[in-house]
C-alpha cells in the first residue's frame, strides 16, 4: 500500500511511524522539513571534531535508522533550519511564529502536489500543515488521517480559562498565551 506521511519538524514519534510502516512493506513517501541524510552526514564528518560532535548530536535527533532515506522528501529545509535555530539565536517569538507558518504552508503545498502525482491510498498528516494535503487526498479518493499528537488549541484555552476561574489566587501563574499564526489552520484541518 502506498502511504504519504507529512510532518514539518519530524519527531521520534513520526520517525517511528514511518519506519514501522516501511518495515511492514508499505511504500511510504515522507515529507518533512529536515532529515539527516547520509550525504549530509559525510559532509559533517569532515568538520573539526568539536563542531562535528555538536552537529551530529543536533542532527541525530532528525534521523531514524529504520527509514529509507530515498523516501524522504525535504520541503523548505532552509526555512526549517532557520526556524529550529531561531530560538537559540534569540529571534523574537513573533518572527519564530512567522518562520513556522511559512514552513508549514510550504510543506503542505509540496505534499499536496506529491499526493496528486503519486496517488497514495492513505495520507497521514500533522496539525497545522495538512489542509491542502487532505484536499488533494480526497480529490484522488484517498483516506486522510490527522495525527494530532497534542490537544487542539481551543480545548487547551477553554480548560486553562476554567482553571483560572476555579483558582483565582493562582490565575497569574497560568498565562494564556496569544494565539500563533498557525492556530487558524487547525480547525479547518479537522473538518476538511
Amino acid at each position: 500500500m502506498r502511504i504519504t506521511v507529512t510532518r514539518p519538524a519530524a519527531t521520534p514519534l513520526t520517525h517511528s511511524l514511518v519506519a514501522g510502516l516501511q518495515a511492514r512493506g508499505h511504500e511510504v513517501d515522507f515529507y518533512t522539513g529536515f532529515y539527516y541524510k547520509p550525504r549530509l552526514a559525510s559532509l559533517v564528518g569532515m568538520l573539526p571534531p568539536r563542531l562535528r560532535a555538536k552537529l551530529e548530536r543536533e542532527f541525530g535527533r532528525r534521523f531514524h535508522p529504520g527509514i529509507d532515506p530515498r523516501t524522504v522528501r525535504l520541503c523548505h529545509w532552509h526555512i526549517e533550519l532557520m526556524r529550529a535555530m531561531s530560538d537559540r539565536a534569540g529571534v523574537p517569538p513573533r518572527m519564530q511564529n512567522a518562520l513556522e507558518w511559512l514552513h508549514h504552508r510550504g510543506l503542505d503545498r509540496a505534499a499536496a502536489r506529491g499526493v496528486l502525482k503519486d496517488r497514495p491510498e492513505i495520507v497521514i498528516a500533522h496539525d497545522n500543515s495538512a489542509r491542502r494535503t487532505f484536499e488533494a487526498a480526497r480529490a484522488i479518493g484517498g483516506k486522510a488521517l490527522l495525527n494530532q499528537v497534542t490537544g487542539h488549541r481551543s480545548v487547551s484555552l477553554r480548560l486553562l480559562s476554567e482553571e483560572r476561574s476555579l483558582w483565582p489566587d493562582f490565575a497569574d501563574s497560568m498565562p494564556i498565551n496569544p494565539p500563533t499564526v498557525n492556530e487558524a489552520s487547525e480547525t479547518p484541518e479537522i473538518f476538511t
Side-chain angles (χ1 to χ4, degrees):
M1 177 180 299
R2 187 159 199 153
I3 301 171
T4 294
V5 177
T6 74
R7 175 78 178 178
T11 63
L13 179 65
T14 308
H15 288 156
S16 295
L17 170 65
V18 172
L21 291 169
Q22 288 180 344
R24 285 162 183 75
H26 297 292
E27 189 177 349
V28 180
D29 295 305
F30 178 33
Y31 288 81
T32 190
F34 182 80
Y35 188 77
Y36 192 41
K37 290 186 173 190
R39 193 172 116 210
L40 181 57
S42 66
L43 293 174
V44 170
M46 292 186 250
L47 295 172
R50 189 172 170 173
L51 179 58
R52 179 176 63 233
K54 190 173 187 174
L55 285 175
E56 284 175 344
R57 186 178 63 247
E58 182 69 29
F59 290 166
R61 294 184 298 171
R62 295 166 182 265
F63 172 78
H64 190 289
I67 294 176
D68 179 353
R70 296 171 298 179
T71 66
V72 178
R73 312 289 182 254
L74 298 182
C75 304
H76 299 272
W77 61 267
H78 55 291
I79 296 174
E80 170 57 13
L81 281 179
M82 284 190 302
R83 188 208 59 77
M85 294 183 322
S86 66
D87 187 43
R88 291 186 182 105
V91 173
R94 188 177 184 127
M95 179 60 113
Q96 290 180 37
N97 286 339
L99 286 169
E100 185 176 325
W101 182 85
L102 281 171
H103 178 53
H104 287 207
R105 296 296 74 74
L107 181 123
D108 190 20
R109 285 190 298 273
R113 287 190 302 271
V115 165
L116 292 173
K117 179 180 152 279
D118 297 328
R119 306 184 67 79
E121 293 150 280
I122 297 174
V123 172
I124 303 169
H126 293 77
D127 48 302
N128 293 322
S129 60
R131 188 175 58 83
R132 287 188 170 111
T133 305
F134 284 172
E135 290 169 356
R138 290 193 178 92
I140 63 162
K143 303 266 189 246
L145 304 171
L146 180 66
N147 190 7
Q148 186 160 351
V149 295
T150 59
H152 190 277
R153 174 85 171 151
S154 64
V155 174
S156 64
L157 287 175
R158 181 181 50 80
L159 291 172
L160 190 55
S161 291
E162 288 174 14
E163 290 299 313
R164 288 170 62 92
S165 296
L166 290 170
W167 305 100
D169 291 345
F170 299 99
D172 62 343
S173 69
M174 297 181 262
I176 297 179
N177 296 326
T180 66
V181 292
N182 283 321
E183 289 165 23
S185 65
E186 286 185 18
T187 301
E189 288 170 345
I190 295 170
F191 299 107
T192 300

